[in-house]
Amino acid sequence: VVYLVVFHLSFVMFVWSYWKTIFTSPASPSNEFCLSKADKEQYEKEERPESQQEILRRAAKDLPIYTTTASRAIRYCDRCQLIKPDRCHHCSACDICVLKMDHHCPWVNNCVGFSNYKFFLLFLMYSLLYCLFVAATVLQYFIKFWTNELPDTHAKFHVLFLFFVAAMFFISILSLFSYHCWLVGKNRSTIETFRAPTFRNGPDKNGFSLGCSKNLREVFGDEKKYWLLPIFTSLGDGCNFPTRLVIMDPEQLTVSSQNEPAKSSGANQSFPTRPLSESQNRLLASDSQWAESGPEEENVKSGSLHHNTSDDS
C-alpha cells in the first residue's frame, strides 16, 4: 500500500509540475515599459544612437530600471519596441521579451522565466525523486540478474533497460537540479551567470542577491506550505527586483541623489535612477541595514545607496 501511494504521489506531482512548466506562458513586460506613440515615432526617425538614447532615457526616467548594457546604454528591444526591465531578455525562439529569463528549454518547448521558474525547479525535483524511486525498486531484480538468480525470461532485458534508464536520468537530472539550486541560493539566472548584470557601479554578478534565505523566498514565496506545490507563489511582479543596498533615511537619500554626480552614458549624458525604498519590497522590510557577507561587502559603502543594472544583448 505504501509503495503504491508513494509511486502515484510522485508521479502525480511530476506530471503536474511538468504540465505547469510547459503551459505557463512566459511573462512579458507591462505596458509602462513600452514607448509612447510620439516617442516611438521620434525614435524611429532619429539616425544617431546618441539621440535615440536621449529619447530612451527620457522615457525611462520614472521606471524602476537599474541595469544598463555594457556600454552604459538603456536596454531597449527593437523587436518588441519596449524598454527592457531588469533581468528581462528577448527570446529568439518565442520572439518575445521574457521577464527574468533563465533560458529557453527545448525539453518543455517553453521559456523558463519569472512566471514558471518555480514550476521548472519542482519539475526537476520530482523527476529526480521519480527516477530514484524507480531505480531503487528495480535494484533488487537488477542484482538478481547479475547473480543469475533471475528466471531466464524476456523480463531480464526489461529489468536491465529500466534500471539503466532510471539511473542515467537520475544522474543527469541531479547535476541540472543541483546547478539551479545553486542559482536560487545566489539569486542569479543562467544568463546572469555567464554575463554579469551591469549596474551603476559596474558589473556585479551578486547584485540581486539578498542572502540565501531571502533569495529562496523570492522564488518560492513566504508561505512554506505551498513550496512543494506547483502553484505560483513567487514574490514581486517580475519587472522590479530589490538589489543589495544599505537602507537610508528617505530625506538623506534625496539629498545624496541630488548631490551625487551623474554617471555619463555616451556623450556626457546621465543615466536615470529611481532608488528602491524599503517600503517597495517585502524582502527588505524587516532589515534596517543589510549587506551580503563576503567579498561583496567592499561594494557596500556606509551612508550610501547602491543600485545595480544588467547587461544584455
Side-chain angles (χ1 to χ4, degrees):
V1 176
V2 175
Y3 172 85
L4 292 176
V5 170
V6 174
F7 176 81
H8 285 95
L9 181 61
S10 60
F11 181 75
V12 168
M13 297 304 292
F14 161 73
V15 173
W16 188 7
S17 302
Y18 188 49
W19 178 275
K20 294 286 287 185
T21 305
I22 295 175
F23 293 102
T24 299
S25 300
S28 299
S30 56
N31 292 332
E32 64 176 330
F33 291 92
C34 297
L35 295 179
S36 64
K37 185 177 181 180
D39 287 340
K40 187 182 300 184
E41 292 178 353
Q42 186 178 0
Y43 179 86
E44 293 175 350
K45 291 180 181 179
E46 291 290 346
E47 297 181 356
R48 295 185 306 162
E50 296 81 5
S51 300
Q52 291 179 334
Q53 278 297 306
E54 182 60 34
I55 297 173
L56 296 180
R57 273 189 292 272
R58 185 172 62 249
K61 64 180 180 180
D62 294 325
L63 297 176
I65 297 175
Y66 308 108
T67 59
T68 63
T69 65
S71 59
R72 300 290 183 177
I74 301 293
R75 300 171 63 245
Y76 180 76
C77 179
D78 291 308
R79 185 75 175 178
C80 299
Q81 296 185 329
L82 54 81
I83 297 173
K84 295 180 182 179
D86 294 340
R87 317 184 81 175
C88 174
H89 299 270
H90 185 86
C91 176
S92 57
C94 298
D95 197 26
I96 58 173
C97 283
V98 179
L99 296 179
K100 196 186 175 183
M101 179 178 174
D102 187 88
H103 68 286
H104 183 88
C105 182
W107 297 104
V108 299
N109 193 31
N110 197 7
C111 263
V112 177
F114 176 75
S115 61
N116 62 350
Y117 188 59
K118 176 190 174 183
F119 308 148
F120 178 73
L121 291 174
L122 292 179
F123 161 64
L124 293 179
M125 185 185 72
Y126 288 120
S127 300
L128 192 67
L129 294 177
Y130 190 64
C131 290
L132 178 62
F133 181 77
V134 172
T137 52
V138 177
L139 181 60
Q140 56 178 323
Y141 302 102
F142 183 76
I143 295 176
K144 290 181 179 181
F145 170 81
W146 282 105
T147 57
N148 293 322
E149 297 180 11
L150 198 66
D152 190 13
T153 62
H154 293 293
K156 282 187 175 183
F157 173 76
H158 297 159
V159 170
L160 184 66
F161 177 79
L162 185 59
F163 178 79
F164 272 109
V165 168
M168 286 189 296
F169 270 97
F170 174 80
I171 294 173
S172 60
I173 295 175
L174 178 61
S175 61
L176 182 60
F177 180 67
S178 301
Y179 173 69
H180 278 280
C181 287
W182 178 78
L183 290 180
V184 171
K186 295 292 185 179
N187 203 341
R188 300 179 198 168
S189 65
T190 301
I191 295 177
E192 292 167 351
T193 302
F194 292 97
R195 188 171 54 209
T198 303
F199 299 89
R200 289 186 61 192
N201 297 325
D204 186 358
K205 61 183 179 181
N206 294 314
F208 293 106
S209 180
L210 307 175
C212 186
S213 176
K214 291 180 180 179
N215 294 340
L216 188 66
R217 287 166 49 200
E218 187 172 307
V219 175
F220 289 93
D222 291 326
E223 298 291 337
K224 293 184 178 180
K225 60 184 178 180
Y226 298 124
W227 281 13
L228 298 180
L229 297 177
I231 56 178
F232 185 80
T233 55
S234 301
L235 300 181
D237 57 3
C239 296
N240 189 11
F241 296 92
T243 61
R244 294 188 301 114
L245 51 80
V246 177
I247 300 300
M248 293 180 56
D249 180 80
E251 295 182 359
Q252 294 178 353
L253 181 60
T254 303
V255 174
S256 63
S257 62
Q258 291 176 350
N259 294 335
E260 182 181 1
K263 301 212 171 190
S264 56
S265 170
N268 298 325
Q269 297 169 342
S270 61
F271 176 71
T273 60
R274 193 178 83 178
L276 179 66
S277 64
E278 178 182 351
S279 61
Q280 285 179 287
N281 197 283
R282 289 183 292 160
L283 293 176
L284 301 178
S286 60
D287 296 350
S288 60
Q289 180 173 339
W290 183 90
E292 191 179 63
S293 59
E296 293 80 15
E297 289 181 351
E298 296 178 0
N299 295 330
V300 183
K301 298 179 182 178
S302 175
S304 63
L305 181 62
H306 292 266
H307 288 289
N308 296 334
T309 40
S310 159
D311 186 15
D312 192 18
S313 57

